[in-house]
Amino acid sequence: MERRAKIVKTDQNSPSAEYLEEAAEIIRSGGLVVFPTETVYGLGASAFSSEACLKIFQAKNRPPDNPLIVHVSSFEMLFDVVDCVPADLIQKLRQVWPGPVTILFNRSSRISDTVTGGSGRVAVRMPDNVLALSLIDRSGVPIAAPSANISTRPSISDSRYAIEELGDRVDYIFDCGPTILGIESTIIDASGDIPVLLRAGSKSVEELRKIFGDIQVTDVSRGLVESPVAITPGMKYRHYAPKKTLILANSRETFVALSAEERFKDTVTLIGSSEACEMAKIPCISLGSEDELQEVASSIFSSFRELEKTGSRIGIIMPFPEKGLGLAIMNRIRKASSGIIENVSELQNLIGQLPLPDGRGLFREE
Ligand code: TXA
Ligand code: MG
């Protein structure tokens, strides 16, 4: 599977026409292209080619039943991908697209089982990114793209991590630096009477309720529990896990108390808001101000990868209120962590038990 990607630097708001044409040709001929969206980087292939989409699963080590999101650049293209859309849903979509919202539809005959994981439904979104939209347009086909990370690893919101992780697994990488939003799209199933949130994401539920009316939010979409029946296949897989143990502090107060314990400075790296990091006596990766959750969202995935590069044995992360973007932020934090601690002595005990076995066995509900 060894491939050596061509890596090109260009501005995601005004991309080079030459590079776009090269990448579009790769998509048309069945290859793999890593490109920025407004949320995270995507690993794309032609959604109309089952063979090309199979390569995505190989490159990511992704289980074959975990389906792909199809990205379109226009409503005309949406109609090639889906089988009949209610007029009132189109009306609502016009208010959120292009943007970080993914909706489930009945698929058209042009979308294969490879894309949908065998399901009759296809997830679609129109990304709000000039480069992504132009790439889809020039390719002339919708682009199926999961997040551009190896399966179970943190998603990628900065191209330098895409180059590290996928440089020898894909054909082409757009090196455009950080993405704008940093957390993936919100996924909703709008087919029932009350739309259901399948994954919290960059568009907050509060904002979506203004357009879609009531939306059902479950503990599964908060990342608190695993789904007993996987409503969306992604729910049953381990996610976002850094290679170093990450533990969630049960409250901001616990986090601040831990951050004063200088004796942990060689063992622990903290991940918290800039306000909390400022007071810390141990190394702290700042996620930005806690009053600006968009800052926190854009740095969360990179912070997991920065933690891996430190010499610390363990990371401790601060919780955020689950309002607005905080819902998606806490979902990603819970899924990436392997446990919760409540006080300094629990941290001391935990360090004694390192390295911890992989998996989420230590996680307990708040
Ligand atoms: O922001 C995003 O959504 C990014 C960018 C690249 O667009 N994409 C992304 O894709 O996060 P991925 O594959 O990492 O996550 C897609 C999620 C998975 O949990 C998958 O199970 C679910 O969407 N999904 C995709 N198609 C589905 C379908 N037909 N039915 C139910 N769930 C589906
Ligand atoms: Mg993903």
Side-chain angles (χ1 to χ4, degrees):
M1 192 181 54
E2 181 89 5
R3 293 148 183 265
R4 187 122 303 273
K6 174 163 180 180
I7 298 165
V8 298
K9 255 193 200 318
T10 188
D11 181 346
Q12 54 187 305
N13 297 312
S14 127
S16 138
E18 184 194 330
Y19 294 155
L20 279 174
E21 199 41 53
E22 270 179 1
E25 181 49 36
I26 289 174
I27 295 284
R28 284 190 295 267
S29 54
L32 300 181
V33 175
V34 170
F35 63 97
T37 76
E38 79 281 37
T39 58
V40 297
Y41 276 79
L43 198 181
S46 166
F48 288 157
S49 164
S50 178
E51 211 177 302
C53 289
L54 264 178
K55 293 184 195 163
I56 296 180
F57 288 86
Q58 288 162 357
K60 273 188 67 106
N61 278 337
R62 185 175 174 104
D65 65 346
N66 194 4
L68 309 175
I69 294 179
V70 173
H71 297 69
V72 298
S73 57
S74 66
F75 279 87
E76 292 71 56
M77 201 179 256
L78 172 70
F79 299 120
D80 290 337
V81 172
V82 305
D83 177 38
C84 120
V85 190
D88 64 324
L89 182 54
I90 296 284
Q91 176 62 29
K92 290 169 182 158
L93 288 178
R94 288 194 189 278
Q95 298 175 61
V96 293
W97 280 359
V101 181
T102 297
I103 310 277
L104 293 195
F105 298 90
N106 292 330
R107 68 169 175 189
S108 79
S109 58
R110 298 192 72 181
I111 296 295
S112 69
D113 278 350
T114 314
V115 173
T116 67
S119 142
R121 317 203 63 205
V122 60
V124 187
R125 83 179 193 98
M126 191 187 291
D128 186 14
N129 178 284
V130 176
L131 191 152
L133 290 172
S134 320
L135 177 64
I136 301 165
D137 235 15
R138 279 181 187 246
S139 305
V141 287
I143 296 185
S147 52
N149 52 279
I150 289 180
S151 206
T152 79
R153 300 268 301 129
S155 303
I156 288 180
S157 53
D158 188 317
S159 47
R160 66 199 167 108
Y161 297 117
I163 295 166
E164 266 178 37
E165 190 149 301
L166 298 168
D168 56 1
R169 292 171 176 245
V170 301
D171 301 300
Y172 207 85
I173 298 180
F174 282 102
D175 180 9
C176 304
T179 60
I180 305 289
L181 300 177
I183 283 190
E184 304 93 327
S185 61
T186 306
I187 307 182
I188 54 179
D189 181 352
S191 60
D193 289 342
I194 302 178
V196 180
L197 179 71
L198 296 183
R199 178 177 73 184
S202 273
K203 187 90 170 173
S204 73
V205 172
E206 291 85 341
E207 280 176 88
L208 284 173
R209 282 195 175 124
K210 292 183 197 151
I211 298 160
F212 289 86
D214 194 19
I215 293 178
Q216 202 185 324
V217 176
T218 61
D219 278 354
V220 174
S221 54
R222 293 173 61 209
L224 263 179
V225 292
E226 299 292 317
S227 173
V229 181
I231 313 169
T232 184
M235 286 173 175
K236 67 182 189 206
Y237 295 111
R238 181 155 169 77
H239 265 107
Y240 312 126
K243 287 178 185 153
K244 221 154 248 178
T245 302
L246 180 70
I247 301 288
L248 173 61
N250 72 327
S251 67
R252 189 184 192 284
E253 292 67 40
T254 303
F255 183 86
V256 169
L258 297 174
S259 76
E261 299 284 330
E262 215 177 331
R263 65 190 150 126
F264 296 128
K265 72 177 183 347
D266 298 326
T267 335
V268 175
T269 290
L270 301 169
I271 304 179
S273 66
S274 51
E275 292 86 349
C277 279
E278 218 166 89
M279 299 184 276
K281 300 222 163 57
I282 28 188
C284 190
I285 299 172
S286 169
L287 295 168
S289 170
E290 54 205 55
D291 298 327
E292 287 296 333
L293 285 184
Q294 183 50 65
E295 275 183 32
V296 176
S298 13
S299 42
I300 194 90
F301 284 128
S302 292
S303 79
F304 297 164
R305 286 174 183 267
E306 274 175 59
L307 169 66
E308 293 177 344
K309 295 187 194 289
T310 67
S312 305
R313 300 184 67 195
I314 193 169
I316 305 287
I317 191 160
M318 182 177 124
F320 292 85
E322 283 177 283
K323 286 207 194 85
L325 268 180
L327 189 71
I329 292 170
M330 282 309 292
N331 165 293
R332 304 309 185 270
I333 290 178
R334 287 201 181 91
K335 292 190 163 210
S337 357
S338 37
I340 288 191
I341 48 167
E342 294 183 358
N343 53 49
V344 175
S345 62
E346 280 189 357
L347 175 57
Q348 185 69 63
N349 284 342
L350 203 60
I351 290 172
Q353 292 168 36
L354 288 174
L356 297 171
D358 186 38
R360 307 204 36 222
L362 279 165
F363 202 91
R364 62 170 188 255
E365 287 175 34
E366 287 158 284

